[in-house]
């Protein structure tokens, strides 16, 4: 495998079309993610954010286009292959194992990264997610929505991923919990994590993401810094309804 250079994106999606059955959902979607970058993938409900993430994570094979990850073409690879290659995907519905304890959910996911990375241990996860430690014996199904979201992110990190895909981590959570998750993502960013963050809520992404792409009706319609997007009322009104 070739080693990506400093300037080569760690993840590069180019011109992908994705279909569910006969209906086309994504039309030539492209985005580049650099090592250490947190990018927001913004768009209204139904715009194609989750489908883009599923295409990257191996859950929806593109019919056309390219997905390059860590220097290799990976379009159409199975989800477990993508996970082994260092891609972690936290879906909208979080998918923790409800009958297993918090700690077991974390331990089940523990693995080294694709190049032997082992930055994340149970100890380190409990340092970064102090709210989870006292809940370690509780069944994951009995956690609140916010606690489950934190567990889902923590579990993804236990696999020492190279890139983390987070699908609407703020969705359906109370403002105080959203703020807590935001602080956590800022901390991950400061520690050099590489994250693609799908959100409807641009405000949540301010201070977390450096850059933004906006998706609408399955097409990327805007790319900018998050500050540029914030200043662009027209684009926000048109595509984000805010
Ligand atoms: N499994 C599916 N089968 C058919 N259509 C789907 C499926 N999942 C999503 N869609 C459709 O694809 C479009 C994009 O959905 P999605 O990627 O989930 O958007 P977002 O995550 O931005 O809300 C929507 O029109 C949605 O109805
Ligand atoms: Mg979605």
């Amino acid at each position: 495998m070739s080693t990506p250079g400093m300037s080569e994106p760690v993840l590069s999606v180019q011109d992908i079309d994705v279909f569910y059955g006969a209906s086309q959902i994504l039309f030539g979607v492209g985005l580049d993610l650099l090592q250490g970058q947190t990018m927001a993938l913004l768009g209204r409900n139904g715009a194609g954010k989750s489908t883009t993430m599923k295409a990257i994570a191996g859950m929806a094979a593109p019919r056309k286009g390219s997905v390059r990850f860590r220097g290799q073409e990976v379009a159409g690879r199975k989800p477990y292959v993508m996970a082994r290659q260092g891609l972690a995907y936290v879906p909208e519905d979080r998918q923790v194992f409800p009958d297993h304890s918090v700690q077991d959910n974390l331990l089940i996911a523990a693995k080294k990264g694709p190049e032997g990375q082992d930055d994340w241990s149970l100890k380190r996860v409990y340092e970064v997610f102090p709210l989870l430690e006292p809940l370690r014996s509780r069944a994951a199904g009995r956690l609140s929505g916010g606690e489950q979201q934190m567990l889902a992110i923590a579990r993804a990190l236990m696999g020492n991923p190279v890139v983390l895909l987070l699908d609407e981590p703020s969705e359906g959570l109370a403002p105080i919990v959203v703020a807590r998750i935001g602080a956590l993502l800022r901390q991950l960013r400061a520690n050099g994590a590489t994250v693609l963050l799908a959100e409807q809520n641009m405000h949540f992404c301010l201070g977390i993401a450096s850059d933004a792409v906006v998706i609408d009706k399955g097409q990327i319609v805007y790319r900018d810094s998050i500050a540029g997007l914030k200043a662009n009322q027209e684009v926000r009104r048109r595509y984000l309804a805010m």
Side-chain angles (χ1 to χ4, degrees), residues 172-211:
L173 302 179
I176 177 102
V177 183
V178 170
R180 216 169 263 156
I181 302 228
L184 176 72
L185 298 184
R186 276 190 290 283
Q187 189 181 348
L188 292 182
R189 178 187 168 180
N191 287 326
T194 309
V195 179
L196 182 64
L197 173 63
E199 270 295 329
Q200 296 187 47
N201 178 355
M202 181 198 67
H203 293 289
F204 176 73
C205 300
L206 300 172
I208 299 173
S210 54
D211 299 88

Side-chain angles (χ1 to χ4, degrees), residues 13 28-32 39 212-214 220-225 229:
V13 177
V29 163
L31 58 87
D32 283 341
M39 182 180 284
V213 292
V214 176
I220 301 292
V221 291
Y222 185 77
R223 308 163 194 276
D224 203 345
S225 64
L229 174 64

Side-chain angles (χ1 to χ4, degrees), residues 2-212:
S2 68
T3 309
M6 288 297 286
S7 56
E8 189 183 342
V10 64
L11 174 69
S12 181
V13 177
Q14 277 169 33
D15 204 22
I16 59 168
D17 287 355
V18 173
F19 290 70
Y20 287 129
S23 49
Q24 186 167 3
I25 307 297
L26 299 186
F27 300 81
V29 163
L31 58 87
D32 283 341
L33 193 62
L34 301 173
Q35 187 81 49
Q37 186 178 28
T38 295
M39 182 180 284
L41 173 62
L42 289 158
R44 281 187 287 241
N45 194 24
K49 302 179 298 297
S50 295
T51 304
T52 300
M53 293 202 152
K54 285 177 187 163
I56 296 168
M59 287 153 197
R63 197 175 283 186
K64 166 175 147 303
S66 156
V67 180
R68 288 186 70 77
F69 181 51
R70 300 175 53 240
Q72 280 189 306
E73 180 59 47
V74 295
R77 297 273 171 90
K78 296 272 186 271
Y80 75 90
V81 176
M82 294 306 295
R84 207 186 276 159
Q85 289 295 314
L87 191 97
Y89 170 50
V90 179
E92 264 170 306
D93 58 3
R94 293 151 198 163
Q95 293 182 358
V96 294
F97 297 111
D99 300 331
H100 287 277
S101 69
V102 164
Q103 185 142 312
D104 283 350
N105 267 273
L106 293 170
L107 289 173
I108 289 163
K111 65 172 176 62
K112 288 187 177 172
E115 306 200 43
Q117 299 94 325
D118 61 354
D119 302 331
W120 291 95
S121 59
L122 208 50
K123 180 169 173 287
R124 173 119 175 76
V125 158
Y126 285 144
E127 279 166 17
V128 174
F129 299 78
L131 291 172
L132 290 181
E133 187 161 21
L135 301 172
R136 66 205 304 166
S137 309
R138 188 168 301 180
R142 296 188 52 233
L143 301 180
S144 70
E147 290 161 353
Q148 280 191 15
Q149 184 63 60
M150 285 184 211
L151 175 58
I153 297 171
R155 193 177 58 170
L157 293 171
M158 285 294 286
N160 290 287
V162 176
V163 168
L164 185 56
L165 308 181
L166 294 179
D167 200 348
E168 297 205 44
S170 78
E171 191 192 16
L173 302 179
I176 177 102
V177 183
V178 170
R180 216 169 263 156
I181 302 228
L184 176 72
L185 298 184
R186 276 190 290 283
Q187 189 181 348
L188 292 182
R189 178 187 168 180
N191 287 326
T194 309
V195 179
L196 182 64
L197 173 63
E199 270 295 329
Q200 296 187 47
N201 178 355
M202 181 198 67
H203 293 289
F204 176 73
C205 300
L206 300 172
I208 299 173
S210 54
D211 299 88

